[in-house]
Amino acid sequence: MTSSPSNRLLFAFILSASLASTIGGLPFNVLPVMLGSLADSFKLDAQTTGMIGSVCFAGYLVGTLGAPFWMNRVNWRILTVVSAIGTAASFAASSQIDTLEWLVAVWALIGFFASTMTCLGMRILSDLPDKVRAFGTRQGVELSVTAAVLFALPPLIISQYKYPGAALSLAAVVAILGLSAFWVPTGAQSNQDAAAAAAQDAPASGAYLPMVAWQSLALFFVFLVGNIGLWAFLERIGSSLQIAPAEMGIVFAVLKLLGGVAAFFTAAVGDRVGPSRAAWWVVGTVGLGLVLLQTATAFIGFALGAWIWEFAFTCGCVFHAASIARSDPSGRAVMLVPAVFALSSMAGPGLAGQIVADGNFVGLLAFALASTLLPALVNIIRRPA
């Protein structure tokens, strides 16, 4: 990369980083559909299904925590090829496995390889001059690809070919996205940038992070764990209502598109809404979505509940990330956001599986509401409205 790349080259870097990052986002974005398909194909109970989701993000956590040690020391194009091949091969291998132990191991690998792509995409975009444009494009590309995949998976693939067909389809999607390696830069913009990035990426001692930053990260974890637990079993809620595969595909595809709308909405609102007011708006809107999910008896109620919940959840993620950024002007705390996300994604599905072991989803909905409400209550103590 040069210090002032042309617009065409800049766009190529943004797009390639976005496609690479999309590989990293796929396991999370398709998690409910894939876990539901796994449960049906392998006759798994809720606890085992949730455990597989947690193991996937345990692998994701390992990759996320390890990336700062080596991300700036490897060739990024080679990394893209290796991680894309690893992710695609793991999805393909899972389609041929018929033992639970090996299935769990392969899903851990899926999480690990995918995490390196998330970290790489964010690392590339952090070098670019217009970060709002860069990260906005990344989110738009990721959600567009995810929406297309979710439109197709339930009605066209899973309904006919069950989990093996879905896993092979995702392997093909990852292989296509891996072609972005041709446009990914080989490394940081310059030796000076690389040295600065390496110093920035080096894990910092907790003593150098303000206490308020650790508190903000902890509250983000609490917010995520219950809502991600709900996300992991959202397809199972729909399945319990006898939602048709085609309708399920519509629900999840529109849901992801609404996630993009929510992100742009919060960007437009910016700091004009105070942190306290924003937190309570999220609590109220998440609560509305959960009530609709609890009272749903058919497609319309389930879809509206899922869509409203997703919109509010995405807004909440943005508000929490902004709070973390404000808590540490040096920017070190923000680099821990992917690790917090991985930890909550590892814990959430496992806890959710325990909660819904009896087939009742009321406790899971209450878990999601409590996870949303608690950070807002704590923030009243930390920062009175």
Side-chain angles (χ1 to χ4, degrees), residues 9 17 33 55 81 84 95 163 204-205 285 320 333 340 346:
L9 186 60
V33 172
V55 167
V81 171
S95 72
Y163 175 80
S205 167
T285 311
H320 274 279
V340 173
M346 182 175 65

Tab-separated table of all heavy atoms in Angstrom, residues 9 17 33 55 81 84 95 163 204-205 285 320 333 340 346:
chain	number	residue	atom	x	y	z
A	9	LEU	N	-7.807	1.920	-5.924
A	9	LEU	CA	-7.041	1.008	-5.078
A	9	LEU	C	-7.616	0.986	-3.663
A	9	LEU	O	-7.708	-0.068	-3.028
A	9	LEU	CB	-5.574	1.434	-5.049
A	9	LEU	CG	-4.590	0.497	-4.325
A	9	LEU	CD1	-4.587	-0.875	-4.968
A	9	LEU	CD2	-3.205	1.108	-4.327
A	17	ALA	N	-11.024	-6.391	2.219
A	17	ALA	CA	-11.062	-6.553	3.670
A	17	ALA	C	-12.473	-6.901	4.135
A	17	ALA	O	-12.656	-7.712	5.048
A	17	ALA	CB	-10.592	-5.272	4.351
A	33	VAL	N	-29.576	-20.988	12.326
A	33	VAL	CA	-30.006	-21.892	11.256
A	33	VAL	C	-29.171	-23.172	11.258
A	33	VAL	O	-29.701	-24.282	11.133
A	33	VAL	CB	-29.912	-21.175	9.890
A	33	VAL	CG1	-30.154	-22.151	8.755
A	33	VAL	CG2	-30.919	-20.033	9.824
A	55	VAL	N	-18.556	-24.170	21.834
A	55	VAL	CA	-17.248	-24.667	21.414
A	55	VAL	C	-16.756	-23.913	20.185
A	55	VAL	O	-15.565	-23.581	20.073
A	55	VAL	CB	-17.313	-26.182	21.138
A	55	VAL	CG1	-16.068	-26.652	20.401
A	55	VAL	CG2	-17.460	-26.944	22.438
A	81	VAL	N	-5.615	-16.833	2.319
A	81	VAL	CA	-5.741	-18.119	1.638
A	81	VAL	C	-5.815	-19.261	2.646
A	81	VAL	O	-6.692	-20.135	2.565
A	81	VAL	CB	-4.551	-18.334	0.672
A	81	VAL	CG1	-4.561	-19.761	0.123
A	81	VAL	CG2	-4.612	-17.331	-0.472
A	84	ALA	N	-9.137	-19.071	4.711
A	84	ALA	CA	-10.301	-19.403	3.886
A	84	ALA	C	-10.348	-20.906	3.615
A	84	ALA	O	-11.415	-21.539	3.702
A	84	ALA	CB	-10.274	-18.619	2.578
A	95	SER	N	-19.723	-31.899	7.200
A	95	SER	CA	-20.851	-32.498	6.470
A	95	SER	C	-20.714	-34.012	6.346
A	95	SER	O	-21.683	-34.705	6.035
A	95	SER	CB	-20.962	-31.881	5.072
A	95	SER	OG	-19.898	-32.325	4.240
A	163	TYR	N	-28.429	-30.816	7.233
A	163	TYR	CA	-27.178	-30.169	7.633
A	163	TYR	C	-26.025	-30.413	6.646
A	163	TYR	O	-25.285	-29.463	6.346
A	163	TYR	CB	-26.756	-30.630	9.034
A	163	TYR	CG	-25.407	-30.060	9.418
A	163	TYR	CD1	-25.286	-28.759	9.877
A	163	TYR	CD2	-24.234	-30.823	9.280
A	163	TYR	CE1	-24.060	-28.228	10.205
A	163	TYR	CE2	-23.000	-30.292	9.607
A	163	TYR	CZ	-22.913	-28.995	10.060
A	163	TYR	OH	-21.687	-28.458	10.364
A	204	ALA	N	-1.617	-5.160	26.260
A	204	ALA	CA	-1.243	-4.243	27.322
A	204	ALA	C	-1.609	-4.813	28.679
A	204	ALA	O	-2.575	-5.533	28.819
A	204	ALA	CB	-1.954	-2.893	27.132
A	205	SER	N	-0.832	-4.459	29.660
A	205	SER	CA	-1.142	-4.895	31.018
A	205	SER	C	-2.422	-4.227	31.481
A	205	SER	O	-2.708	-3.093	31.137
A	205	SER	CB	0.016	-4.523	31.953
A	205	SER	OG	-0.376	-4.667	33.300
A	285	THR	N	-37.033	-1.338	23.759
A	285	THR	CA	-37.278	-1.928	22.447
A	285	THR	C	-36.952	-3.419	22.437
A	285	THR	O	-37.670	-4.216	21.825
A	285	THR	CB	-36.458	-1.188	21.372
A	285	THR	OG1	-36.640	0.223	21.522
A	285	THR	CG2	-36.921	-1.588	19.976
A	320	HIS	N	-22.799	0.393	23.163
A	320	HIS	CA	-21.812	-0.141	24.101
A	320	HIS	C	-20.398	0.044	23.568
A	320	HIS	O	-19.471	0.380	24.326
A	320	HIS	CB	-22.080	-1.620	24.367
A	320	HIS	CG	-23.061	-1.877	25.462
A	320	HIS	ND1	-22.721	-1.847	26.795
A	320	HIS	CD2	-24.387	-2.159	25.436
A	320	HIS	CE1	-23.783	-2.096	27.541
A	320	HIS	NE2	-24.811	-2.289	26.739
A	333	ALA	N	-8.738	-0.250	24.735
A	333	ALA	CA	-9.917	-0.999	25.184
A	333	ALA	C	-10.740	-1.495	24.000
A	333	ALA	O	-11.299	-2.595	24.042
A	333	ALA	CB	-10.782	-0.130	26.101
A	340	VAL	N	-14.241	-9.858	23.885
A	340	VAL	CA	-15.461	-9.864	24.692
A	340	VAL	C	-16.592	-10.528	23.915
A	340	VAL	O	-17.373	-11.319	24.464
A	340	VAL	CB	-15.846	-8.426	25.101
A	340	VAL	CG1	-17.211	-8.398	25.785
A	340	VAL	CG2	-14.793	-7.839	26.030
A	346	MET	N	-19.218	-17.650	23.372
A	346	MET	CA	-18.872	-18.964	23.894
A	346	MET	C	-19.779	-19.327	25.069
A	346	MET	O	-20.262	-20.456	25.171
A	346	MET	CB	-17.407	-18.967	24.350
A	346	MET	CG	-16.894	-20.303	24.865
A	346	MET	SD	-15.136	-20.248	25.247
A	346	MET	CE	-15.109	-19.092	26.608
